[in-house]
Structure formats: structure tokens, C-alpha cells
Amino acid sequence: MTNKELDKKLVVANWKSNGSFAENLALINQLLEAEKAKEFASDLVICPPFVYLQQVAQLLKGSQIKLGAQNISQFGFGAYTGEVSAQMLVDLGVDYVLVGHSERRSLFAETDAISAEKVNGALAFGITPILCLGESLDQRESGKAIEIVLKQLELGINKLSKSEVEKIVLAYEPIWAIGTGKTASAQEAEDMHEKLRSYLKSIDEDMAEKVKILYGGSLNETNVASLFKMPNIDGGLVGGASLDAQKFLFISSLGN
Ligand code: PGA
């Protein structure tokens, strides 16, 4: 068994543009109760909207659950209306940040080049970027999924040193599976994860073993067991099911 297989799974909640002070309090309290009862087998990260980061940071004080943001500016301080910089996220105690989520790419014109700058910016401030990759249904049906996803990876990490790549997390999220109830089969997901791992191994074997590759896209309590059994699936990025404490706790209870 390799070190990687012994590692815990990483389960990341992407709340997207959902939540309220009252709902967040109720949800986090249920997670904290479960943590006390030692119900998690995985490491957990919660990514609330920016405006709730401070509330969730306060609630998570003393817990092992980490805080993540859903986006980060590629710029520092300055005249960038509406942006939130890496330094500000550090102030809030953020440990992880989603970068290049398909909704950012398709709705907010975030390119591979912008994602790469965000990855660099996060690393420079000690925040772990979770670089999201994935193909559309058309791209999958035309047999281009692997080529497209590996290109996204290449463009996302090409300015990083090996020791920097080692610090990032990848999330493979086929766009056709996000929020649709359709999931990639465990084998389809594993095939892509294996390709991503092989690409990293072509740069450096040791580094490739250290990078966690998460699956996302309608991950839920019914499909998680088969996905998490796969050797190259190191955890999950969970949207819809992360808003339901029971579903999210079930996913987090499976672990390694
Ligand atoms: P979903 O979202 O679990 O609701 O499909 C996943 C994501 O977009 O990160």
C-alpha cells in the first residue's frame, strides 16, 4: 500500500451562492456535533460565499474542519472593484480556495490563463488552490474529454515548480455532471483521474503521489461509495449534497 492510499480522503463543500446566517449556523452546528461524535473519516473543507466566510470561520474555531473560499482575485490590493484578494482571504483564516470552477469559466469568462494566475496567487499566500477541470457533454461525446482536461491541467500549472504543484489539489468535475443528477460512472471518473495522475507522473513520480485528485459532479450519498473505492479518487467536491447535513455527513463518513 502506498502512502497515498493510507491518506484520508478530502471532502470539500462548495455551497455556491447559497446560505444565510441562520442556515449556515444550523448546518455548521450539525457538522460540529458529528465531529464531536467522531463521525468523519475524511478531512473536511467548507467553502461558503465570501460574505459568510467570517461567520463560518468563527463557528469553526477549535474544529479540525478547514475554511475555503470559492474564488480569489488574481490581483493584489488596488483599484479592482468587487474583487477579493489573497491577502484578504488570509486575514479571514482561509486555507483553501476553488479556482477555475466550470461556473466561473462559463459564466464569468475565467480562462485557463486567469486560473493559472489565481493558482499562483493563492500559493504565494499559503492558501491551497483546488484547481477545477472538466469537459462539456459535447467535448465528451466527440471523444475529446481527455485531451481537453489534460490541456486545462497543463495550462493551470505550467508556471509552477514541482514543489508548488505538490501543494495544489485538483478537482475533476465533468460539466455535464454538475448539478444535473448525472454522475460519471466510477470507472469513467477513475479513467480520467488516472490520466491526470499519469500526466503529473510524467513531471515527477513522487510529486504525482502527493497531489489529491477529487471528483465532483452530482456526488451524493448513493454514488460516493463506488467512486471513493477507486485508487485515483482521493476525495470529493460536493455542491448540492453539501447543503444537506445528513447527506454531507454520510459522504464524509466513508473516508479511506
Ligand atoms: P454538484 O456541484 O455536486 O451540485 O453537482 C459540484 C460542484 O459544482 O462543485
Side-chain angles (χ1 to χ4, degrees):
M1 193 173 265
T2 65
N3 285 340
K4 198 172 70 57
E5 282 169 302
L6 291 170
D7 274 351
K8 279 190 185 170
K9 301 280 189 217
L10 179 65
V11 176
V12 181
N14 176 10
W15 287 2
K16 307 194 180 185
S17 198
N18 293 296
S20 65
F21 283 129
E23 284 169 358
N24 306 343
L25 178 65
L27 184 49
I28 296 292
N29 276 341
Q30 290 181 75
L31 302 185
L32 293 175
E33 296 269 309
E35 185 180 36
K36 260 195 246 149
K38 301 199 184 337
E39 285 172 20
F40 313 144
S42 309
D43 291 323
L44 300 195
V45 180
I46 308 294
C47 303
F50 282 137
V51 291
Y52 298 126
L53 281 168
Q54 195 165 14
Q55 179 203 15
V56 174
Q58 289 292 337
L59 294 170
L60 292 180
K61 270 210 178 119
S63 154
Q64 296 298 310
I65 304 172
K66 303 282 189 212
L67 186 65
Q70 297 174 18
N71 189 19
I72 185 171
S73 175
Q74 68 269 45
F75 305 113
F77 291 121
Y80 306 107
T81 303
E83 290 294 290
V84 176
S85 73
Q87 181 68 69
M88 294 170 192
L89 296 180
V90 169
D91 260 1
L92 285 163
V94 164
D95 297 298
Y96 289 82
V97 65
L98 303 179
V99 173
H101 188 280
S102 68
E103 287 150 18
R104 301 284 332 155
R105 292 175 189 259
S106 65
L107 303 172
F108 304 98
E110 198 160 301
T111 61
D112 286 312
I114 293 173
S115 296
E117 285 181 43
K118 292 183 176 196
V119 165
N120 293 356
L123 286 172
F125 282 86
I127 299 171
T128 301
I130 302 172
L131 176 63
C132 304
L133 313 165
E135 81 286 356
S136 67
L137 189 56
D138 281 355
Q139 290 165 335
R140 175 156 285 262
E141 285 175 347
S142 63
K144 295 213 172 82
I146 291 169
E147 185 191 326
I148 300 269
V149 171
L150 290 183
K151 192 74 192 166
Q152 289 172 344
L153 174 60
E154 182 196 333
L155 295 174
I157 65 171
N158 65 6
K159 293 198 183 70
L160 304 181
S161 66
K162 271 186 233 169
S163 61
E164 287 172 322
V165 178
E166 209 169 276
K167 294 190 186 127
I168 74 170
V169 172
L170 298 177
Y172 168 56
E173 296 204 303
I175 298 167
W176 46 273
I178 296 179
T180 58
K182 286 187 206 155
T183 336
S185 70
Q187 194 56 54
E188 274 171 328
E190 170 60 17
D191 288 348
M192 186 64 83
H193 283 228
E194 197 275 322
K195 292 282 182 304
L196 291 167
R197 183 94 57 209
S198 299
Y199 180 89
L200 296 174
K201 280 186 181 164
S202 71
I203 306 173
D204 187 276
E205 291 266 341
D206 283 352
M207 172 270 277
E209 292 299 328
K210 290 185 184 143
V211 176
K212 284 204 152 83
I213 310 179
L214 314 182
Y215 170 79
S218 299
L219 183 65
N220 61 35
E221 68 290 1
T222 60
N223 54 34
V224 62
S226 58
L227 286 154
F228 277 15
K229 265 191 218 127
M230 293 294 167
N232 286 292
I233 298 185
D234 304 313
L237 178 53
V238 192
S242 73
L243 298 171
D244 178 314
Q246 291 319 313
K247 291 180 182 173
F248 189 63
L249 285 170
F250 183 81
I251 293 168
S252 311
S253 71
L254 289 194
N256 43 3

